Every structure is written in structure tokens, then in C-alpha cells.
Amino acid sequence: MKLIVGLGNPDDKYKNTFHNLGFMCVDKLAQMLDVGFDKSKCRALIAQTNIKGEKIILAKPQTYMNLSGESVQELTSFFKISPKDLIVVYDDYDIYIGECRIRESGSAGTHNGMRNIVERLGLTNFPRVRIGFKPRTELQIPLINYVLSGISIEDKPIFDSILENGAKALYDFANGKDIQYIMQRYNKKG
């Protein structure tokens, strides 16, 4: 069994913001797998399918970003998911717009949602897909405002492309591809 978690915030006002890039990426994966988020479990919207006889669960925690770990901890416990079978996708200000970085493990960096997941699970040895949104010019507004701002029309094609890349990486993960292979194939600089 595999658990694929996209991070974001549940309210409609956050729908097209940078902080919801994780939700957007698992939504693209759900389209690829032809499944819908039609169930609620462990404070998350979930979609389920089977690939080659293995159950695949896609989840979008509804706890708001900073408490994502509460839902992820409940999901991993309920479904008995091992760290190697969990992957989390999220927005990352530490990397530039148009970049996608997949890692086998690592710290939470500056991301509060990931920090909460690491705290709640008590481990860092699970794969993650980081979708960059740091602008190449200096920010003119506070970071908290930027994180919750909408993706511009000009930047939409860049994000469509990088989210597609991230969704393909998640698809390969769901299909049992090795994380090293996924990293080599989908890590992308902008």
C-alpha cells in the first residue's frame, strides 16, 4: 500500500495560491489515475485506486497547512504505512519557480507543514516532492502574504508544466518505481 499526500489549505480562498501547490499536484495525479477525492478519513479528503494489485491512497489533509502532520500521522497509523511507502508533495520557497526537487529523505526546511509532519511522525526518512515558487527577483511583499497570493496568469504555464512533472513523479512512485530512478528522471531546474 502507498500513501501520496499533497499539502495545502482547504478553503476556496486558498485554491490557486502557492501554498496549495501540493493539492494541485495530487489533483493532477488523480486525473491521471481517473479517481476522485470522494471520501473523507483521518481529517483528509482521499481518493483510492489499485495499481498492479497494490492499494494507492491519495490524500489532501483538511487540517490547514501548519497542522498537516496531525492528519498524516492518523493516515499512516490507520493504513499502516511504512516510511518508504509515504510520499509528500508541497510548495517550497527554498527553490525557484519552475523547479521540482524530489528527495528520498531530509529535514523539513522552512516549511511549517512539513515541520509538523516530521514532528508528528518522529522521522524524516520518507520521500518528498518539492515544488518551487521562489521568484527570481526580490520580494516586494512579506513572505506570508506572498505564500498565500494567487499564481499570476504569466506564471500559470510554468506551474502547469512543473505540476505535470511532479504528478508524473508521483505516478511512477504509485507504480512502484524506485525513488532513485524517480529522482534522476524528474528532478528539474527552472
Side-chain angles (χ1 to χ4, degrees), residues 81-120:
I81 302 292
S82 70
K84 69 177 179 47
D85 293 323
L86 165 68
I87 193 166
V88 180
V89 57
Y90 59 99
D91 62 289
D92 196 330
Y93 185 77
D94 293 334
I95 55 178
Y96 287 107
I97 287 174
E99 294 185 8
C100 178
R101 291 206 192 140
I102 298 138
R103 295 288 179 261
E104 191 169 10
S105 63
S107 73
T110 60
H111 197 279
N112 289 333
M114 277 299 287
R115 189 173 298 135
N116 189 249
I117 292 170
V118 166
E119 279 176 19
R120 296 300 293 237

Side-chain angles (χ1 to χ4, degrees), residues 8-160:
N9 286 309
D11 292 346
D12 280 345
K13 67 181 178 179
Y14 300 113
K15 191 172 183 176
N16 292 308
T17 66
F18 296 119
H19 232 15
N20 272 29
L21 289 168
F23 277 7
M24 292 177 213
C25 196
V26 294
D27 284 341
K28 280 196 179 285
L29 176 63
Q31 289 172 350
M32 293 167 77
L33 296 172
D34 196 27
V35 295
F37 288 90
D38 56 359
K39 293 182 179 75
S40 182
K41 185 172 286 302
C42 302
R43 295 188 281 169
L45 294 177
I46 64 168
Q48 296 181 56
T49 191
N50 282 292
I51 297 177
K52 301 175 193 166
E54 183 173 33
K55 188 176 198 176
I56 307 298
I57 301 149
L58 282 61
K60 297 192 295 187
Q62 301 296 290
T63 52
Y64 290 92
M65 183 64 80
N66 293 352
L67 299 176
S68 297
E70 293 180 6
S71 175
V72 173
Q73 181 184 33
E74 290 173 26
L75 287 161
T76 56
S77 179
F78 182 84
F79 290 109
K80 297 175 179 39
I81 302 292
S82 70
K84 69 177 179 47
D85 293 323
L86 165 68
I87 193 166
V88 180
V89 57
Y90 59 99
D91 62 289
D92 196 330
Y93 185 77
D94 293 334
I95 55 178
Y96 287 107
I97 287 174
E99 294 185 8
C100 178
R101 291 206 192 140
I102 298 138
R103 295 288 179 261
E104 191 169 10
S105 63
S107 73
T110 60
H111 197 279
N112 289 333
M114 277 299 287
R115 189 173 298 135
N116 189 249
I117 292 170
V118 166
E119 279 176 19
R120 296 300 293 237
L121 296 182
L123 50 87
T124 60
N125 62 330
F126 57 90
R128 68 274 324 267
V129 176
R130 300 160 56 205
I131 306 292
F133 71 100
K134 182 177 184 172
R136 297 191 184 274
T137 57
E138 192 173 323
L139 271 185
Q140 302 302 311
I141 60 173
L143 180 58
I144 185 66
N145 295 349
Y146 180 68
V147 166
L148 298 175
S149 64
I151 296 168
S152 71
I153 298 291
E154 299 81 39
D155 287 340
K156 187 176 180 326
I158 296 168
F159 284 102
D160 285 345

